[in-house]
Amino acid sequence: MVLALILALFLPAGAACQGMPVYDNTNFISLAKQLIESAKQTAEMLKMVEELNAVREKVEKVNNAVRQYQAVRDITRHNEQLFEMVREDLREVLNSPYIHGDEVETISNAFNGIMENSLDQLDFMGQVLSNDFLNMTDAERLGILEAQREESQKMLADIKHRKKRYDMIISFRKMQAMIKDRKPNY
């Protein structure tokens, strides 16, 4: 009897119970359904991520195309301004009576050099924009166009600076002529 009491006290509780536990199969079935539904949602999310990446790439291409268009538009606008300024300013400077005959060729060559550089820039821009040129990416093409835009701005600034300098020379010579030709008041 003592032995039976000791065994009853020291044996685990599961040994004293009767049979194996019974599981509810409906929990396993609902868990499997949830896992399948979760897998479907994950697959749909992966498809959506791929579609969003494709849309992002298309938006980036359009953005690069717009930026290229803006750069080309700015370059052509700058060159139009450059042509107008050279045409008008060169005529004004060369028609001044205060410009000496030997300076006409130097002034014309300076303005013509800027114009030739501008025309070369437009030719190069046309080559960059063509699809056959060096198999460039849009980013590389945009970088070149941005550099061309800055160069056209520098040419505009150079023309303005030269015009201002020639205007100062003309103004100074005009003042010299007025001082030289004035009548004394004594």
Side-chain angles (χ1 to χ4, degrees):
M1 193 149 141
V2 176
L3 184 60
L5 186 60
I6 292 176
L7 281 176
L9 287 176
F10 291 114
L11 282 177
C17 296
Q18 206 177 15
M20 292 287 290
V22 177
Y23 294 104
D24 186 8
N25 289 337
T26 58
N27 287 339
F28 286 122
I29 292 173
S30 65
L31 178 64
K33 286 181 182 178
Q34 288 175 353
L35 288 175
I36 291 171
E37 187 63 32
S38 175
K40 286 180 183 178
Q41 289 175 354
T42 303
E44 289 176 14
M45 288 178 70
L46 290 175
K47 286 180 185 177
M48 187 186 325
V49 167
E50 289 175 4
E51 290 172 3
L52 288 175
N53 282 335
V55 168
R56 181 185 53 84
E57 289 174 2
K58 288 178 183 177
V59 167
E60 285 177 357
K61 285 182 181 180
V62 169
N63 187 25
N64 282 338
V66 167
R67 290 175 61 194
Q68 286 179 17
Y69 167 74
Q70 289 172 341
V72 169
R73 184 193 63 202
D74 289 346
I75 291 169
T76 54
R77 188 180 314 137
H78 291 156
N79 282 326
E80 287 173 2
Q81 290 174 351
L82 187 70
F83 290 136
E84 288 297 316
M85 288 174 65
V86 167
R87 187 179 57 163
E88 294 170 6
D89 294 346
L90 183 60
R91 185 180 309 135
E92 183 182 324
V93 169
L94 294 180
N95 288 338
S96 172
Y98 301 103
I99 296 295
H100 303 137
D102 57 336
E103 295 174 329
V104 170
E105 185 177 344
T106 305
I107 294 170
S108 296
N109 288 340
F111 280 95
N112 286 337
I114 293 172
M115 292 305 297
E116 287 176 12
N117 188 14
S118 174
L119 291 174
D120 290 343
Q121 183 185 40
L122 286 174
D123 289 339
F124 180 70
M125 185 179 66
Q127 290 176 354
V128 167
L129 290 175
S130 71
N131 291 333
D132 320 270
F133 188 70
L134 295 176
N135 296 328
M136 297 176 129
T137 65
D138 286 340
E140 293 169 337
R141 189 173 290 119
L142 184 61
I144 290 174
L145 290 175
E146 290 291 332
Q148 292 291 93
R149 183 190 312 187
E150 290 176 20
E151 183 68 26
S152 68
Q153 288 173 340
K154 288 179 184 177
M155 284 190 288
L156 271 176
D158 188 29
I159 286 288
K160 288 178 183 177
H161 178 71
R162 286 176 190 266
K163 170 68 167 115
K164 186 177 179 181
R165 186 173 62 195
Y166 290 128
D167 285 343
M168 288 174 59
I169 291 171
I170 291 170
S171 175
F172 179 74
R173 289 181 181 168
K174 186 177 182 180
M175 183 181 67
Q176 277 182 329
M178 287 174 55
I179 290 172
K180 190 184 216 182
D181 292 339
R182 74 177 177 188
K183 295 180 183 177
N185 291 333
Y186 51 90

